[in-house]
Each structure stands twice: as structure tokens, then as C-alpha cells.
Amino acid sequence: MSYEVDYYFHVATKDDAVALVTHMPISDHLITAKQVNEYATPVVEQAINQVVQVTPLERVNEKIHEIGEVLHSHLQDFLKVFGITLDTVKVLIFPRDERMRALISLRAFGLQEIDAVRYYIAMLMAEHGLVSAPNMAIGEAFHIGAPVQATVAVGGISRGPTNA
């Protein structure tokens, strides 16, 4: 999983500014947001992993609010030592692999795992111009040279008369 985190912070008082310059090493008489981010990155990773590692991949976005709350709590406690007040945190989590993104998207449409994989493979096959892509999507065999006469069961539709 990959993530992007935006957090907004400020130094509220003179005492907080003293805590910041006391606890964080400075160079060239300034402290940059990049330096704060370098210190905060392990806390961010730990807070996100705390929820993500116990959540199925397709349910991670359902827990984004909980992840944001956990991250805000951990980050606020960490930054408080440096005299920094955390205002808001925004989190975006997504699969690192494009293939996993596609499969999770198909599962979000309500497909079972095996159906999502078949549809994904069918999409790849269609991108390459393979005529058997629809067969992959419905899970039926493709026979080269066979007459085109596929019968596929469709829920809710009767077959018609059987004595024809």
C-alpha cells in the first residue's frame, strides 16, 4: 500500500517556539517543513500501519476516517514535544500496484474474487485484441473453428419451450 498524508501545523506561542529550537536540530538558523516531515515520517507510518495491517485491502478506504483519527492522535502527541500544534490531517491510501487497484475496483462493484480476476484478465485480453476476452469474462471455453453458438445461463430469463 502507498499513502499520501497532508498535515497542517503551527507554532502557537513563544514557549512553543523555544521548545522547537531546543528539541529539533537546526541548520542555517531555520527549520523547514521538510525537516519536520523527516522527523514525523516514522510516526505517520506506524499510525497508518496500525490500522491497515489488520484490515482487508478492499476495506481500507472504509476505515480512512479511523486511520485519520489514529494518525492525528499519534502525530499530535509526537509534535507536541517540539512545540508544534497539529491542525488537520488528510490521508489518502491506495494500492501501490496498478493490478491490485483494478482488482479492488472490480470487487467494489460487488464481484466475487474469482469473478474479479476473470474480468480483469478479460480486460487485459481485450486490450490486446484477443477475441476470446468475452469468454474469459463469463468463464466459458473458447473453441477455435467451432460454430458460434454459445449458450450462457442468465439469471431470471427462461429458456423457452423445451419441445422445439
Side-chain angles (χ1 to χ4, degrees):
M1 298 295 283
S2 293
Y3 60 88
E4 291 180 12
V5 176
D6 291 327
Y7 52 96
Y8 304 91
F9 57 87
H10 69 276
V11 178
T13 65
K14 289 182 202 177
D15 292 336
D16 290 339
V18 169
L20 180 61
V21 297
T22 303
H23 291 72
M24 187 173 285
I26 58 173
S27 61
D28 298 329
H29 303 293
L30 61 106
I31 298 173
T32 64
K34 182 179 178 184
Q35 288 173 303
V36 173
N37 190 45
E38 287 172 0
Y39 273 87
T41 296
V43 175
V44 170
E45 289 175 355
Q46 181 184 18
I48 290 173
N49 288 334
Q50 179 178 335
V51 178
V52 169
Q53 288 180 348
V54 296
T55 305
L57 287 176
E58 66 269 9
R59 301 242 185 259
V60 168
N61 281 331
E62 295 173 12
K63 299 223 176 195
I64 202 73
H65 183 70
E66 179 184 338
I67 293 168
E69 288 176 354
V70 168
L71 178 56
H72 190 279
S73 173
H74 286 216
L75 200 52
Q76 177 61 43
D77 292 344
F78 176 75
L79 293 175
K80 187 178 5 175
V81 172
F82 296 101
I84 297 173
T85 302
L86 185 64
D87 296 326
T88 59
V89 174
K90 295 179 185 178
V91 183
L92 176 64
I93 298 176
F94 47 91
R96 197 173 287 152
D97 182 42
E98 182 61 38
R99 186 175 313 129
M100 288 305 295
R101 275 185 246 165
L103 289 169
I104 290 171
S105 296
L106 288 168
R107 291 271 293 139
F109 283 116
L111 295 175
Q112 295 298 321
E113 289 171 2
I114 189 68
D115 294 329
V117 170
R118 272 201 337 261
Y119 277 56
Y120 176 74
I121 294 170
M123 289 187 307
L124 291 177
M125 291 170 69
E127 287 175 6
H128 288 85
L130 298 173
V131 296
S132 57
N135 292 72
M136 174 55 82
I138 62 172
E140 291 291 323
F142 180 77
H143 303 287
I144 297 174
V148 180
Q149 192 175 28
T151 55
V152 179
V154 179
I157 298 177
S158 65
R159 289 187 102 192
T162 56
N163 296 356

